[in-house]
Amino acid sequence: MSIKYAILGLLHYKDMHGYRIKSHIERNFGHMWSINFGQIYPNLRSLLDEGLVTMKAVDTPGEKGPGRKLYSITEEGKQAFAQWLAAPPEGNTILRDPFLMRFIFYGFGAPADALKAIDHQLVVYTGQLAQRQDNLSRWRSHDQYVRLMAELGVSFNTMVIQWLENARAEIEAMDRTAQSKAADGSQT
Amino acid sequence: MSIKYAILGLLHYKDMHGYRIKSHIERNFGHMWSINFGQIYPNLRSLLDEGLVTMKAVDTPGEKGPGRKLYSITEEGKQAFAQWLAAPPEGNTILRDPFLMRFIFYGFGAPADALKAIDHQLVVYTGQLAQRQDNLSRWRSHDQYVRLMAELGVSFNTMVIQWLENARAEIEAMDRTAQSKAADGSQT
DNA sequence: CCTCTCATGTAAGACGTTACATGATTCA
DNA sequence: TGAATCATGTAACGTCTTACATGAGAGG
C-alpha cells in the first residue's frame, strides 16, 4: 500500500511517467527497495481512479516506443499524501534476508561452506558500499532527509561488513581449534 | 520458500509441533522475522507430503486443547536441508520499513511531525535493543552462529539509534536556523 | 541484423497477513 | 464467569515477483 504514497511523494518533485518512476526509485533508493512494473502501472491506474493524480498522454512522434503518459499529482493527492505522512508509521523493521536465514543453521554444515558464503556476502556488501558512498556524495547538498537516508545506507553497509569480517575470523579460529583437537586425539 | 527450510533446520535440534515452532521462532528470531500459523501449518503439511518430515500424533489426555502433532525430520529431509544450506543464497538484504519509507518525504511536512516520528522510533529501537542484549546474554555459550546472529541484531539496533539521534539533532538545528531567518526577515 | 533501452501493460503464481473457527485447561 | 494460553487448522485477502506480450528507435 505504501508504494502508492511513494509515487505520490515523487510526483511532488515533478510530473513523471511510469517508466521514469521506476528508474528514479531504482537509481535513488534501489539499494533499499525494489520495485517493478507489476506494481507501478496498476498503482498508477488506481491512483487515477481515486482522483489523486491526473494523466496526460504525450505523443512525441520522434520518441521511441509507445507514447508516454505523464502523471501529475492533484490537490486531493497532496492532501491524501500529507495525511499519510503525518500518520504514525505502523510496523517495525525486519531484516529478512536469504543469507541471514541460512546463517543461523551454518553450524549444521561444513565451516568451509559458511566461510565461502560469508566471502560472497563481503564482496556484495563492499560493492554496494562503494555505490552508496557515491550516491551520498551526489546528494551532499540535496534534500536533508534524502541525504540522511543515504547516510543510513552507508552506516548499514559499514556495520554489516564489520560484522561479517568478525564472524569470518571467529569461525576460522573455531575451525582451527577443532582441527588441532582432532589432530591431538589421533596422536595419542 | 525458505520457511520450509527454517522448519527443517529447527527439527535438527529436536522434534517439535507447529505451535512450538512458532513460539521458538518468535522467542529466538522474532525480532528479525515474523511467522504465523497461516504459514506454518500449510508448510508442515507440504513437508509431510514430500516425505521430508514424519508426523506422530501425541494424545496426552491430561493436556489442554487438541492433541499435538510431533514432527520429526527424515533422512531425505536432512539431505534436502543440506543441499539448501550449501547452495549460494540468492537475493540481497533490503531494508523495507514503513518508517524509512516515510522518512524520505518528511521534507514535505512539518519538522515537528518528523521529530515526533523519530522520537517514537527511538523508543521502539531502544526497547528492542534491551531485549536483544538480553537474548544475547542468554545465548553466550550456545551455538556460535546463533550467537553471532544475535550480535548482528544488537549492532543493528545500536547503529540505527545512533543514526536516529544524529538525524534528530540535524533536523532540530535546521529548524532553528529556518526560524531565526524568518524572525530576521520580519524584523527588517 | 541483433541486441539494448525506452515505454506500456497483463496474468499467473508465490508469498504473507489477518481473521475466523474450534476446543480444552488454567488462573484470577 | 471470563480471559489467557495451548493447540490445530482454513479462507480470504493483499502484496510482490516473474514472466509474458508488444513495439519502436538507436547503436554496434
Side-chain angles (χ1 to χ4, degrees):
Chain A
M1 273 295 99
S2 57
I3 289 141
K4 254 184 194 174
Y5 293 101
I7 292 174
L8 285 180
L10 290 177
L11 291 179
H12 276 72
Y13 291 111
K14 56 164 134 179
D15 296 353
M16 282 190 236
H17 59 277
Y19 196 88
R20 265 275 161 278
I21 290 169
K22 191 190 174 234
S23 54
H24 189 277
I25 290 176
E26 267 173 359
R27 191 158 159 49
N28 295 322
F29 319 109
H31 36 85
M32 302 214 154
W33 301 287
S34 63
I35 194 125
N36 38 276
F37 296 125
Q39 283 174 90
I40 287 175
Y41 290 116
N43 273 303
L44 278 172
R45 179 68 183 269
S46 77
L47 283 169
L48 197 64
D49 292 346
E50 293 167 58
L52 304 181
V53 299
T54 55
M55 187 265 283
K56 192 166 64 168
V58 181
D59 260 323
T60 327
E63 299 259 307
K64 7 174 168 172
R68 296 178 185 170
K69 293 185 171 180
L70 256 197
Y71 292 89
S72 318
I73 190 165
T74 62
E75 260 316 306
E76 298 91 67
K78 283 186 182 173
Q79 271 172 36
F81 178 80
Q83 249 176 281
W84 171 78
L85 196 65
E90 281 311 318
N92 48 326
T93 320
I94 281 170
L95 295 173
R96 213 183 288 249
D97 169 6
F99 168 73
L100 293 179
M101 174 99 271
R102 274 176 175 81
F103 190 88
I104 310 171
F105 300 112
Y106 276 141
F108 295 129
D113 283 346
L115 291 173
K116 216 173 79 183
I118 288 171
D119 284 338
H120 183 252
Q121 289 299 112
L122 273 168
V123 171
V124 171
Y125 276 99
T126 306
Q128 220 175 48
L129 178 59
Q131 204 190 302
R132 287 179 184 196
Q133 275 165 335
D134 202 64
N135 268 306
L136 185 54
S137 57
R138 281 200 293 115
W139 289 328
R140 229 354 63 120
S141 56
H142 272 55
D143 185 297
Q144 181 182 205
Y145 294 91
V146 173
R147 197 205 67 231
L148 282 166
M149 178 62 118
E151 282 174 11
L152 178 68
V154 170
S155 293
F156 178 72
N157 269 53
T158 308
M159 189 270 305
V160 173
I161 288 169
Q162 261 174 45
W163 176 78
L164 284 167
E165 278 168 349
N166 170 64
R168 203 191 189 292
E170 263 198 43
I171 292 160
E172 261 191 332
M174 180 78 54
D175 195 27
R176 265 200 298 277
T177 314
Q179 271 172 14
S180 69
K181 262 188 191 162
D184 256 30
S186 63
Q187 245 177 346
T188 42
Chain B
M1 271 295 98
S2 57
I3 290 141
K4 254 184 191 173
Y5 294 101
I7 292 173
L8 285 179
L10 290 177
L11 291 179
H12 276 72
Y13 291 111
K14 56 164 132 180
D15 296 353
M16 281 190 236
H17 58 277
Y19 196 89
R20 265 274 162 278
I21 289 169
K22 192 189 174 235
S23 54
H24 189 276
I25 290 177
E26 267 173 358
R27 192 158 158 46
N28 295 323
F29 319 110
H31 38 84
M32 303 214 155
W33 301 287
S34 62
I35 194 128
N36 39 275
F37 296 125
Q39 284 175 90
I40 287 175
Y41 292 114
N43 272 304
L44 278 172
R45 179 66 184 270
S46 77
L47 283 170
L48 197 64
D49 291 346
E50 292 166 59
L52 304 180
V53 300
T54 54
M55 188 266 282
K56 193 166 64 165
V58 181
D59 260 322
T60 326
E63 299 260 307
K64 9 173 167 171
R68 294 178 186 171
K69 293 186 172 180
L70 256 195
Y71 291 89
S72 318
I73 190 165
T74 63
E75 260 315 304
E76 298 91 67
K78 281 184 183 174
Q79 272 172 35
F81 178 80
Q83 249 176 279
W84 170 79
L85 196 65
E90 282 309 319
N92 47 328
T93 320
I94 281 169
L95 293 173
R96 213 183 289 249
D97 169 6
F99 168 73
L100 294 179
M101 175 97 272
R102 273 176 176 80
F103 190 88
I104 310 171
F105 300 112
Y106 277 142
F108 294 129
D113 283 346
L115 291 173
K116 216 173 81 183
I118 289 171
D119 284 338
H120 182 252
Q121 289 300 110
L122 273 168
V123 171
V124 171
Y125 277 98
T126 306
Q128 219 175 50
L129 177 60
Q131 204 191 303
R132 286 180 185 195
Q133 275 166 334
D134 202 65
N135 268 305
L136 185 56
S137 57
R138 280 202 292 114
W139 290 328
R140 244 321 91 105
S141 56
H142 273 53
D143 185 297
Q144 182 183 204
Y145 295 90
V146 174
R147 196 204 69 231
L148 282 166
M149 178 61 118
E151 282 173 11
L152 178 68
V154 170
S155 293
F156 178 73
N157 269 54
T158 307
M159 190 267 309
V160 174
I161 288 169
Q162 261 172 44
W163 176 80
L164 284 168
E165 278 168 350
N166 170 63
R168 203 192 190 291
E170 264 198 43
I171 292 160
E172 260 191 332
M174 179 77 57
D175 195 28
R176 264 199 299 276
T177 313
Q179 272 172 14
S180 68
K181 263 188 190 163
D184 257 29
S186 66
Q187 245 176 346
T188 43

